[in-house]
Amino acid sequence: MSENTAALPEGLPGVVGDWASDKQTFFVSWGKAMMWIFLLSDTFIFTCFLTGYMHVRYSTTVPWPNPSEVFALTIAGHSIPLILIAIMTFILITSSGTMAMAVNNGYRRNRGKAALFMLITALLGASFVGMQAFEWSKLILEEGIRPWGNPLGAAQFGASFFMITGFHGFHVSVGVLYLAIVAFKVWRGHYERRGYEIVEIAGLYWHFVDLVWVFIFAFFYLW
Amino acid sequence: MAYVAIADQEHELHDPHSFVTKYIWSQDHKVIAIQYSVTAIVMGLFGMGLSMLMRLQLAYPDTFSFITPNAYYQHVTMHGMIMVIYLLTALFLGGFGNYLIPLMCGARDMVFPFMNMLSYWMYLLSVFLLMTSYFVPGGPTGAGWTLYPPQSILPGTPGFDWGIIMMLASLAVFIIAFTMGGLNYITTVLQARCRGMTLMRMPLSVWGIFVATIVGLLAFPALFVSAVMVGLDRLVGTSFFMPAILSAGQNLDYQGGSPLLFQHLFWFFGHPEVYIVALPVFGIVSDLLSCHARKNIFGYRMMVWAIVAIAALSFVVWAHHMFVSGMNPYFGFFFATTTLIIAIPTAIKVYNWVLTLWRGNIRYTVPMLFAIGFIFTFTNGGLTGLFLGNVTVDLPLSDTYFVVAHFHMVMGVSPVLVLFGAVYHWFPKITGKMFNENLARWHFWLTLLGTYAVYLPMHYIGILGVPRRYYATLGASFIPDSVQTVNVNITIAALTVAAAQSLFFINVIWSLMKGKPAGSNPWNATTLEWQTPDTPPKHGNWGPKLPEVYRWAYDYSVPGHSQDFIPQNEPPSSHSATASEHGRH
Ligand code: HEM
Ligand SMILES: [Cu+2]
């Protein structure tokens, strides 16, 4: 509140008044506010993809393939359901942890450590994408699953799978690139003067991509 | 608060000097606004040309050999899409949003000027992609602006092979452009206002554009997703929207998809889209009415909350476009109810506009004429919307000219009237020159009366059952011959309106060259953009010091004050105390 505005009223109007206050609504930097708003919009994209997938899954006339069989990996003669996905999920969630460490180190101005943890995060992300590529090639080459049809059942299975994991994988790849660039700049000391909020902004994006994966995992692999 | 706004750090501003950085690769919101507007208006002219071809065909069937049935459908489709997306959305958000938000909020620029510049260039790319569809084999898509699959990607529909791809690609790029701009508009409004400019002191123009941008960021994702999925169905052969289907006696490779899913996704975008266009219009017209009636806007808070309420409700009415597609009767009931509920905040706005005029010191300036014209056409279109919102009434009227009349009244004519009103209103600020009053009045009357002559009769032929999107209806036994006479009259009116638009362009060119200097505040308006040190405003808008705001945007005709307006940045001490001065207005 500045001297140009009267004192705020109490109660609910006060809440509104706070939000409506002088100059700034949220006490965060422009970049962070913008990232939050972008993520809100991106949430709607993923929500539309997932609802679309659920809709075609309900409306298709052919039975849906059983995901725990499709996504099983045969290791040492045993077929273990969802093992690859479990590992991928674990990796992605771990990367959220390393990202948090990077943010923390950034704010403590340990620039080397911040860059290192960002780099680790990016590498974990890259390995996620790599395993996804492995999963895709296995499904395409061994199981014969294609976007337009598959021997196991509904054609929409392959279509939704490749579309949704592809779009998510694209987000992860962009994130890896983004993290790598920021990590490089952090390491070079580019943000010494302006502060390390940029690390947190990149982190927001990364956590978001992670969170989305949890939903994809639940709705696609576990259902 | 540790954070220092960039607007307050002087050294962040670099004045561009060369012609290229100043006018082409410009990061100045005012230049970007003009780039957006000019591109959008060129697209609008193109769309208008297409509509003339359609009208010629309808009035004089069998006369023009170059308007084949296929070409007609392509004209319908491109006209609709261009007008809704590439003209109105781009102009009100990219154009007016860019120009007005920083100036009205007292900011130096958008928060991320570089991204703002990219937004324009992406928009231009999307326009380019759209226009290339005229040069691909088969020409542009003729699927109707709703692009419903299966027909949009099956043989028989013009442009089913390449035109539709160009359309989808162009839409996807447009959405990216919109997102880059939109993030800027929202963040600027939320985070970069000048001292004293609380949200509840913002002019309603900013409120309308701000909320419309939020609606856009939440609604465009649905269009993006449906574009991706149609694209995959068409290019890769997936069956998201495609059931097992016979085409020309042959079984196609599709199976088990859901055409209804597309309609839900499309209208989850499509209905909010009409408010993406309408909300900025609501906001701008409020400011025009208040300023030119020299009276505060009636019920400012109610106006703000009505905008917010309409925006929220607009996400739960989409299936009223699908009553004919079929749905569970309870859903029909639900969507009819929400549709009618949205009329309440809308009606509040209309009443408040009229009450703003009530006992105002109305000046029939050109912007005022357009604003009043808007109230008429919008009320007209809103009332037919109430008819269509009821399932039983909609079933016979859907896909007739009644619907065409409804949406042209409400989102064709009304926004265009406000668009012109707004251009005339801000022209003196943007260019520093006054426009020619007489030409502008002729332009207004020809446009208003002409559009009424075009769209009013369409209600009647719609009730007679004339279907929309038909190349020709001759010979259909349920259509009386008199419809043909009506069609000829509509076409003559339409050609007149189109010709009348040249007055606008003549006026702009004449005024740019010979217009009288406007001065900084020709309308005696209160809002910040009229208080800039330079007209047109320079890069950085405010000179060395940012403005400070002490009051709301509607201090017109305040009793006991020497002038009939008090600018928002005038401190309280500089004149005698008045009732309107308590801070929170
Ligand atoms: C009181 C408010 C309104 C109500 C109750 C209403 C209701 C409806 C209904 C039920 C339809 C579907 C008709 C059909 O296809 O059978 C419709 C179509 C349409 N409305 Fe509205 N409407 C309202 C306001 C608006 C506004 C403000 C706009 C734009 C600014 C708008 C733009 C459109 C458009 C573009 C269509 C046609 C879409 C198409 O099928 O191509 N409406 N309206
Ligand atoms: Cu609607």
Side-chain angles (χ1 to χ4, degrees):
Chain A
M1 288 280 98
S2 75
E3 60 277 19
N4 300 357
T5 43
L8 283 177
E10 303 278 315
L12 194 62
V15 176
V16 176
D18 247 354
W19 273 44
S21 67
D22 208 13
K23 291 185 92 159
Q24 259 183 299
T25 302
F26 304 108
F27 289 112
V28 297
S29 73
W30 292 348
K32 198 158 150 190
M34 186 180 282
M35 182 52 92
W36 273 113
I37 301 164
F38 168 72
L39 293 181
L40 189 65
S41 181
D42 214 15
T43 307
F44 269 62
I45 295 196
F46 278 107
T47 312
C48 289
F49 271 128
L50 284 172
T51 13
Y53 145 71
M54 291 177 209
H55 182 112
V56 290
R57 181 162 174 172
Y58 265 118
S59 62
T60 183
T61 44
V62 188
W64 200 257
N66 181 355
S68 50
E69 283 166 24
V70 183
F71 300 115
L73 217 55
T74 312
I75 300 175
H78 297 281
S79 164
I80 310 175
L82 298 180
I83 177 71
L84 181 64
I85 300 309
I87 298 172
M88 284 164 67
T89 309
F90 180 75
I91 287 183
L92 211 54
I93 290 176
T94 312
S95 78
S96 256
T98 54
M99 189 67 232
M101 312 264 276
V103 175
N104 189 306
N105 276 299
Y107 281 128
R108 292 171 182 213
R109 299 212 157 238
N110 293 336
R111 133 165 101 85
K113 270 193 175 173
L116 180 70
F117 276 114
M118 287 187 89
L119 207 65
I120 296 176
T121 312
L123 287 177
L124 288 171
S127 67
F128 175 89
V129 178
M131 291 165 105
Q132 196 167 39
F134 171 71
E135 185 192 26
W136 274 41
S137 54
K138 177 174 166 289
L139 290 183
I140 295 171
L141 299 177
E142 289 174 25
E143 320 269 344
I145 294 176
R146 302 281 187 277
W148 52 89
N150 64 70
L152 308 172
Q156 284 74 18
F157 175 81
S160 323
F161 175 79
F162 289 119
M163 180 177 71
I164 294 176
T165 58
F167 198 67
H168 178 266
F170 172 71
H171 270 72
V172 179
S173 313
V174 170
V176 168
L177 218 70
Y178 179 30
L179 287 179
I181 294 171
V182 176
F184 180 68
K185 285 183 155 181
V186 167
W187 177 67
R188 290 267 304 264
H190 194 265
Y191 302 109
E192 273 302 300
R193 198 171 58 85
R194 271 192 274 173
Y196 285 91
E197 195 171 32
I198 180 91
V199 183
E200 192 186 347
I201 296 174
L204 282 177
Y205 175 82
W206 192 257
H207 295 317
F208 168 79
V209 172
D210 240 23
L211 186 67
V212 167
W213 175 254
V214 174
F215 281 92
I216 295 176
F217 180 65
F219 285 123
F220 214 100
Y221 294 87
L222 297 185
W223 180 14
Chain B
M1 183 194 58
Y3 181 70
V4 183
I6 301 206
D8 296 344
Q9 308 169 351
E10 293 306 324
H11 58 269
E12 292 283 341
L13 276 175
H14 310 289
D15 250 339
H17 287 301
S18 77
F19 179 83
V20 173
T21 47
K22 212 165 173 177
Y23 297 107
I24 300 177
W25 299 110
S26 173
Q27 301 187 22
D28 186 314
H29 71 102
K30 299 180 290 297
V31 179
I32 296 172
I34 292 168
Q35 291 172 327
Y36 250 115
S37 308
V38 170
T39 316
I41 288 175
V42 170
M43 288 309 280
L45 279 178
F46 185 74
M48 188 176 80
L50 294 174
S51 69
M52 292 306 115
L53 294 176
M54 283 150 31
R55 279 319 313 176
L56 284 175
Q57 163 61 25
L58 291 175
Y60 310 106
D62 304 326
T63 314
F64 302 99
S65 57
F66 59 93
I67 310 177
T68 60
N70 272 357
Y72 183 83
Y73 292 126
Q74 292 169 326
H75 297 339
V76 172
T77 308
M78 296 298 274
H79 164 78
M81 198 60 101
I82 286 174
M83 290 308 197
V84 172
I85 307 275
Y86 300 88
L87 170 69
L88 291 176
T89 307
L91 191 72
F92 279 112
L93 298 178
F96 284 105
N98 256 318
Y99 199 84
L100 294 180
I101 288 175
L103 279 168
M104 282 187 153
C105 291
R108 291 199 184 277
D109 207 314
M110 289 290 176
V111 288
F112 291 103
F114 180 73
M115 205 156 98
N116 207 22
M117 175 187 79
L118 278 187
S119 162
Y120 170 72
W121 290 102
M122 289 297 272
Y123 165 58
L124 195 66
L125 177 66
S126 78
V127 165
F128 177 75
L129 285 173
L130 187 75
M131 299 315 281
T132 45
S133 67
Y134 277 96
F135 304 100
V136 296
T141 173
W145 88 281
T146 47
L147 304 179
Y148 282 5
Q151 53 95 11
S152 62
I153 58 172
L154 288 185
T157 305
F160 77 97
D161 42 3
W162 290 109
I164 183 77
I165 304 274
M166 297 317 294
M167 173 64 88
L168 297 172
S170 166
L171 286 173
V173 173
F174 181 90
I175 292 167
I176 296 170
F178 172 82
T179 306
M180 292 198 285
L183 292 173
N184 253 316
Y185 313 154
I186 295 183
T187 317
T188 307
V189 171
L190 284 177
Q191 304 294 88
R193 282 161 283 137
C194 69
R195 189 173 280 274
M197 179 63 86
T198 65
L199 288 182
M200 280 302 183
R201 280 176 175 176
M202 288 196 310
L204 285 168
S205 298
V206 179
W207 265 109
I209 294 168
F210 170 58
V211 177
T213 312
I214 298 178
V215 173
L217 284 179
L218 305 184
F220 272 114
L223 180 67
F224 182 79
V225 167
S226 38
V228 169
M229 286 159 83
V230 178
L232 288 174
D233 278 4
R234 160 71 189 79
L235 280 177
V236 184
T238 57
S239 307
F240 289 113
F241 304 130
M242 306 294 283
I245 223 167
L246 275 175
S247 173
Q250 276 205 322
N251 231 329
L252 297 183
D253 282 339
Y254 296 111
Q255 48 151 320
S258 167
L260 266 187
L261 172 62
F262 179 85
Q263 299 187 16
H264 281 294
L265 284 173
F266 182 85
W267 287 114
F268 185 79
F269 148 76
H271 187 83
E273 166 63 27
V274 307
Y275 286 101
I276 294 170
V277 173
L279 293 179
V281 169
F282 292 171
I284 289 172
V285 82
S286 307
D287 285 353
L288 298 190
L289 287 169
S290 172
C291 172
H292 295 270
R294 315 308 296 163
K295 211 181 130 206
N296 63 305
I297 190 82
F298 188 92
Y300 172 80
R301 273 163 186 277
M302 229 193 294
M303 291 300 248
V304 172
W305 288 116
I307 288 179
V308 176
I310 291 173
L313 284 170
S314 75
F315 282 99
V316 289
V317 301
W318 76 90
H320 65 210
H321 297 274
M322 298 167 57
F323 288 149
V324 177
S325 310
M327 63 184 90
N328 184 316
Y330 289 109
F331 286 162
F333 173 75
F334 172 81
F335 284 106
T337 311
T338 51
T339 303
L340 299 184
I341 289 175
I342 226 177
I344 297 171
T346 314
I348 289 178
K349 296 196 76 74
V350 176
Y351 284 125
N352 284 358
W353 289 323
V354 178
L355 286 168
T356 302
L357 292 177
W358 177 257
R359 297 195 160 188
N361 176 12
I362 298 181
R363 302 183 177 169
Y364 288 105
T365 55
V366 174
M368 186 58 152
L369 292 177
F370 278 100
I372 295 175
F374 161 83
I375 298 182
F376 280 95
T377 52
F378 185 74
T379 308
N380 190 322
L383 289 176
T384 52
L386 289 179
F387 288 71
L388 296 172
N390 294 284
V391 185
T392 40
V393 185
D394 181 66
L395 292 184
L397 288 177
S398 187
D399 274 320
T400 67
Y401 266 88
F402 191 85
V403 171
V404 177
H406 157 69
F407 70 73
H408 276 96
M409 272 300 183
V410 85
M411 89 171 300
V413 180
S414 316
V416 167
L417 288 179
V418 173
L419 187 168
F420 285 127
V423 171
Y424 285 120
H425 181 76
W426 279 291
F427 188 81
K429 180 52 65 176
I430 298 170
T431 63
K433 302 275 180 65
M434 217 51 202
F435 55 83
N436 182 314
E437 182 89 22
N438 277 332
L439 270 180
R441 277 170 200 278
W442 274 100
H443 176 219
F444 167 72
W445 285 108
L446 286 171
T447 306
L448 182 79
L449 299 178
T451 45
Y452 257 98
V454 170
Y455 295 110
L456 215 52
M458 282 192 193
H459 293 89
Y460 298 104
I461 61 173
I463 292 172
L464 289 175
V466 178
R468 68 190 275 215
R469 292 177 175 166
Y470 271 44
Y471 172 66
T473 50
L474 295 179
S477 58
F478 66 94
I479 296 175
D481 290 341
S482 59
V483 165
Q484 193 48 34
T485 321
V486 176
N487 265 337
V488 172
N489 282 307
I490 293 178
T491 297
I492 291 170
L495 290 170
T496 316
V497 175
Q501 302 316 306
S502 59
L503 295 179
F504 172 74
F505 294 99
I506 294 172
N507 200 346
V508 167
I509 294 167
W510 183 89
S511 312
L512 280 176
M513 297 193 313
K514 299 218 171 117
K516 281 190 295 250
S520 72
N521 191 358
W523 309 117
N524 289 344
T526 56
T527 40
L528 283 183
E529 80 276 21
W530 300 102
Q531 326 301 337
T532 53
D534 310 282
T535 300
K538 290 223 172 76
H539 187 69
N541 295 346
W542 308 106
K545 201 170 170 310
L546 282 175
E548 285 194 31
V549 164
Y550 300 91
R551 58 192 71 247
W552 71 336
Y554 300 99
D555 268 340
Y556 288 105
S557 307
V558 177
H561 195 66
S562 52
Q563 283 174 306
D564 72 345
F565 72 107
I566 314 177
Q568 281 191 279
N569 59 349
E570 188 168 316
S573 52
S574 68
H575 62 90
S576 59
T578 59
S580 72
E581 232 151 62
H582 57 90
R584 300 207 62 248
H585 246 300

